[in-house]
Amino acid sequence: DEVQRQLRESRDRIKAETHQEITAFAYPNGTADDYNKAAIETLRTLDYKVAFTLTPGPAKLNVVKEHPYQIARVYLGRRDTFETFVLKVMGAPALTDKTKFIT
């Protein structure tokens, strides 16, 4: 009940301040310990469409479609350079040939 209240109230506040539909959620901290089946079901009940974890990404489209409330994301730190950002977003192919993806 407390999780549902917090999710609903934060969504409603953001919606009131931005006048935008709120369909995405990012789990605080984002580790597997930060969400469970009950949290996922609550998000679904409140009409969230997707939720992001801090499981290392990027996530493949078929995995996102199968588990829209457990989307892996690319962690970006405040000290990351643009080149680091590109490598993280591109994933493994960029790590094997950095010059191909960074101009």
Side-chain angles (χ1 to χ4, degrees):
D1 290 338
E2 178 63 17
V3 170
Q4 185 172 27
R5 182 191 67 73
Q6 288 181 12
L7 290 170
R8 185 182 57 253
E9 286 179 3
S10 62
R11 180 205 56 201
D12 292 348
R13 182 175 176 185
I14 294 168
K15 185 176 179 179
E17 291 181 18
T18 65
H19 308 290
Q20 307 254 342
E21 274 307 305
I22 309 304
T23 59
F25 180 79
Y27 297 104
N29 303 316
T31 69
D33 293 335
D34 297 315
Y35 61 93
N36 55 30
K37 289 181 182 181
I40 291 170
E41 189 54 38
T42 301
L43 289 167
R44 186 177 284 116
T45 300
L46 292 171
D47 292 327
Y48 285 92
K49 304 299 181 212
V50 296
F52 297 92
T53 71
L54 266 182
T55 302
K60 294 186 177 195
L61 182 58
N62 63 325
V63 175
V64 170
K65 287 181 177 181
E66 188 174 340
H67 302 284
Y69 297 96
Q70 297 176 63
I71 300 173
R73 60 182 165 174
V74 176
Y75 175 78
L76 300 174
R78 62 186 172 96
R79 293 189 177 116
D80 286 352
T81 64
F82 180 73
E83 289 79 13
T84 302
F85 164 76
V86 170
L87 291 173
K88 286 181 175 183
V89 172
M90 296 303 296
L95 295 175
T96 60
D97 185 5
K98 296 176 187 178
T99 60
K100 185 175 179 181
F101 296 99
I102 300 174
T103 57

